[in-house]
Each structure stands twice: as C-alpha cells, then as structure tokens.
Amino acid sequence: MNQDALKKAAALAALEEIRALASGAVIGVGTGSTVNLFIDALAGSGINIRGAVSSSEASAQRLAAHGIPLVRLDEIEAETLPVYVDGADEIDPGFNMIKGGGGALTREKIVAAVARRFICICDASKKVATLGRFPLPVEVIPMARVQVGHEIARLASGIPRWREGFVTDNGNHILDISGLAITDPRTLESDLNQIAGVVTNGLFARRGADVLLLATASGVERSERSG
Ligand code: 5RP
C-alpha cells in the first residue's frame, strides 16, 4: 500500500469512530491531505452532522464544496465539540504530536482545545519514538520573526528556518525548527509559547490526541491514550 492508500484507510476508519458521536452534532475538522480524504469520505458517509468548525480556510473550502455547513467556533453555544479529527506530522507513544506542516497549527490548537475527543488519523510513517525529526513549526508575528528565531536557537538548541513566502490564515509567518530531539514535549511547548512574538507552536502535548487511528500495511491500528 502506498502512503495515500494508508491515509485513506485512516480517514475511513475515522468515520466509524465518530459515527455515534457526530450524528446531529457540530464536529471539529483539521487540515491536511489525510483530513481532505476524511472530508471527502464524510460527505458520502450518510453521517448526518449539523455542521463543522474548520481549522483552516483550505478545509473550510473543501467542506463547503461538499455542502457541509460551516460553523464558526464563536457561534457554538455548548462549551465543547464532541470530537475533533485531524492528522499529524509526528506522534509519539504518549500521543504527543508535532503538527503544523500545513501551517494551520494555531487554529488547529484552538479547535482541538474545545473538543472532548481528539482523533488523530495518520499513516504509520508518522509514528515515532521521539518527536523532532520533522521540523517543529512555530507561528510568529511577522515583525518578531528574526528576534524569535534567535531566542529559539538559544532556548531549544534547534535551527529555525523561515518558511519564506508562506503566510498563515492569521496573516503570520512560520519558523520551522530542525535538529530537535524532544524528550519533554510539554515543557518545550510551554517554553516556546513564552517567547514574545510567538503565536503558538506545533507541539500538541498539553492537548494531545485521545485516540490514534494508525494505518499500517496490515490494517488500521486503533489505540487510546492511557492515563
Ligand atoms: C496541518 C497539519 C496536518 O495535520 C499535518 O501536517 C499532517 O498533514 P498530512 O495529513 O497532509 O500528512 O498539522 O497544519
């Protein structure tokens, strides 16, 4: 199976995972190629959701093209969404993730924060023992980009690289930090967010995944975070 087929298998497994939770509800939808497959499958699934809160303009466009009603997060009366479905760039055994390869990390983190259940869908290449081989994205206010880069290099001993030409849905820039081996993701997530000019970083440790649907050559493995 190639990577796209694995992504599709994970996306289809997510439908079954959310079927009971999502019926009649507003759900949270992430961003990326795996989520695109999930959106396409959701549209033809017969699952009757009330609408979706999107984590990006790209996913919003795809949802709208399928006729799935878009709901703004600030329109939601309830304090939570029952479920949020998203991919990851890396996920470790503790269900901590690096996200933001598509640059949607800030809105992803906001929507994930209000969801009761985070379902991570990905192919087996995303499962790692230690986070950090994938460069960690950090969204920064444009005027602070250079200074934030210096501070990141000092604090995290990583090498920040400007994702030149890319502007987030929030009008900001991205620094991708390479050369990290992240043994304490919760602490690094907090420390990076303390740097003036950082909007957020792509570590999802304080709000990690609850369920992982990992597509492998021998099928989709389902696991839940322990503790
Ligand atoms: C986007 C993300 C994505 O979830 C992540 O990049 C994985 O994407 P893909 O499903 O295309 O591999 O965080 O900001």
Side-chain angles (χ1 to χ4, degrees):
M1 270 174 122
N2 64 24
Q3 195 179 20
D4 286 343
L6 293 174
K7 288 180 179 188
K8 189 163 185 183
L12 292 176
L15 289 181
E16 296 321 307
E17 184 72 29
I18 69 162
R19 194 170 285 276
L21 293 171
S23 184
V26 177
I27 68 167
V29 174
T31 299
S33 55
T34 316
V35 165
N36 283 345
L37 295 166
F38 169 73
I39 293 170
D40 295 347
L42 178 66
S45 68
I47 300 175
N48 192 20
I49 63 168
R50 189 151 63 82
V53 175
S54 174
S55 68
S56 66
E57 300 299 334
S59 289
Q61 277 180 21
R62 200 172 189 101
L63 288 158
H66 281 299
I68 297 173
L70 296 171
V71 180
R72 292 199 326 265
L73 193 59
D74 60 355
E75 292 173 326
I76 303 280
E77 289 295 331
E79 286 175 17
T80 59
L81 301 166
V83 67
Y84 176 67
V85 179
D86 202 354
D89 298 302
E90 286 185 348
I91 182 161
D92 75 7
F95 286 24
N96 308 295
M97 294 168 284
I98 286 182
K99 292 185 44 55
L105 59 158
T106 298
R107 295 190 188 193
E108 290 174 341
K109 210 172 256 200
I110 292 168
V111 184
V114 297
R116 278 202 292 278
R117 218 165 164 74
F118 186 137
I119 297 168
C120 177
I121 51 174
C122 53
D123 66 87
S125 70
K126 308 293 184 70
K127 186 82 189 289
V128 298
T130 306
L131 300 174
R133 185 191 288 263
F134 189 93
L136 174 64
V138 179
E139 181 164 351
V140 296
I141 301 290
M143 69 172 285
R145 175 176 54 81
V146 172
Q147 281 68 26
V148 168
H150 292 323
E151 192 61 16
I152 285 174
R154 196 187 61 74
L155 176 89
S157 310
I159 303 155
R161 189 191 176 107
W162 178 24
R163 203 182 293 182
E164 205 167 347
F166 182 86
V167 177
T168 70
D169 285 348
N170 312 307
N172 296 318
H173 290 171
I174 298 277
L175 293 171
D176 292 303
I177 316 175
S178 58
L180 298 174
I182 305 171
T183 51
D184 185 354
R186 286 175 69 90
T187 301
L188 184 60
E189 181 178 2
S190 297
D191 288 352
L192 289 173
N193 283 345
Q194 296 308 313
I195 300 173
V198 167
V199 179
T200 197
N201 68 82
L203 274 172
F204 283 58
R206 296 191 168 267
R207 204 295 173 245
D210 299 302
V211 174
L212 171 61
L213 299 172
L214 188 74
T216 73
S218 51
V220 178
E221 295 172 2
R222 181 190 187 282
S223 48
E224 287 198 33
R225 183 173 48 171
S226 53

